């Protein structure tokens, strides 16, 4: 709490005094007035899906990331099934790039800067699963798989897509 100064005593010495009142800025401020369009009050909702993008009122991206993880996890099943038919790795990579990765990169410039480490790791785990599925028994590690399959990390792709968008 800041101290207030005033002059006291003889010789004009400075004394320090605590203020009598203080404002606590940690308290939530009053909610803004309701928005109206043509006299109709708009409802406040915790989240909204617009063009396939889950936007939360607190600007966290949990719903969006969970949706992407669930959707691409279901698509990975197709990759596993195709692997059983002995498709070449290059075809499996093409299916991953064209069918699964777009789900993980949809609307990246909107949400990528708001990702937490945990959310980024969730997305990375999906790419690891895809690499492990494509490479099968020859999978030795994530970095080796990325190099072998000619892929880049999702974090690098997100950064590239954001720069390309700007």
């Amino acid at each position: 709490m800041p101290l207030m100064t005033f002059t006291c005593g003889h010789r004009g010495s400075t004394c320090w005094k605590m203020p009598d009142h203080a404002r606590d800025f940690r308290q939530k401020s009053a909610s803004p007035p309701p928005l109206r369009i043509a006299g109709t009050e708009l409802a406040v909702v915790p989240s909204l899906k617009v063009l396939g993008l889950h936007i939360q009122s607190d600007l966290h991206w949990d719903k969006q990331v969970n949706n992407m993880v669930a959707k691409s996890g279901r698509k990975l099943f197709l990759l596993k099934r195709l692997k059983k038919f002995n498709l070449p790795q290059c075809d499996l990579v093409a299916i991953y790039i064209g069918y699964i990765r777009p789900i993980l990169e949809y609307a990246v410039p909107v949400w990528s800067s708001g990702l937490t480490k945990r959310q980024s790791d969730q997305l990375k785990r999906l790419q690891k699963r895809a690499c492990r599925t494509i490479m099968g028994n020859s999978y030795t590690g994530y970095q080796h798989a990325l190099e072998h399959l000619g892929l880049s990390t999702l974090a690098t792709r997100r950064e590239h897509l954001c720069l390309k968008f700007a």
Side-chain angles (χ1 to χ4, degrees):
M1 184 172 291
L3 299 173
M4 296 175 60
T5 62
F6 64 96
T7 306
C8 65
H10 68 292
R11 297 188 207 158
S13 61
T14 302
C15 297
W16 298 93
K17 176 186 173 191
M18 296 294 289
D20 295 333
H21 62 283
R23 170 78 170 113
D24 185 4
F25 289 101
R26 293 175 295 173
Q27 296 175 352
K28 295 201 177 221
S29 60
S31 58
L35 296 174
R36 296 182 183 278
I37 295 180
T40 306
E41 187 174 317
L42 298 177
V44 176
V45 293
S47 68
L48 180 66
K49 185 175 180 181
V50 179
L51 298 173
L53 187 67
H54 293 268
I55 303 172
Q56 293 174 237
S57 61
D58 58 3
L59 293 181
H60 291 145
W61 296 102
D62 298 322
K63 282 191 174 190
Q64 176 66 23
V65 171
N66 292 339
N67 181 53
M68 290 187 306
V69 167
K71 196 182 271 189
S72 56
R74 289 189 299 267
K75 307 273 185 189
L76 276 175
F77 179 73
L78 171 74
L79 202 62
K80 286 181 184 181
R81 296 290 299 227
L82 291 172
K83 174 77 174 169
K84 289 181 181 179
F85 289 113
N86 294 323
L87 260 64
Q89 277 187 354
C90 61
D91 290 347
L92 293 173
V93 170
I95 291 168
Y96 168 73
I97 289 172
Y99 193 61
I100 298 169
R101 193 169 71 182
I103 296 167
L104 301 174
E105 296 176 344
Y106 180 71
V108 161
V110 176
W111 53 263
S112 69
S113 63
L115 278 185
T116 63
K117 173 88 168 97
R118 182 186 60 80
Q119 293 166 339
S120 182
D121 289 344
Q122 280 181 289
L123 298 174
K124 181 180 177 180
R125 221 175 358 259
L126 278 162
Q127 184 163 343
K128 281 183 180 181
R129 280 176 50 199
C131 290
R132 198 175 306 118
T133 300
I134 293 169
M135 293 188 69
N137 292 335
S138 61
Y139 180 86
T140 57
Y142 182 53
Q143 282 305 122
H144 175 261
L146 291 176
E147 292 169 10
H148 180 73
L149 299 174
L151 299 172
S152 56
T153 64
L154 289 175
T156 304
R157 292 270 310 155
R158 283 193 298 270
E159 186 178 328
H160 172 72
L161 289 169
C162 287
L163 291 173
K164 186 177 175 183
F165 180 74

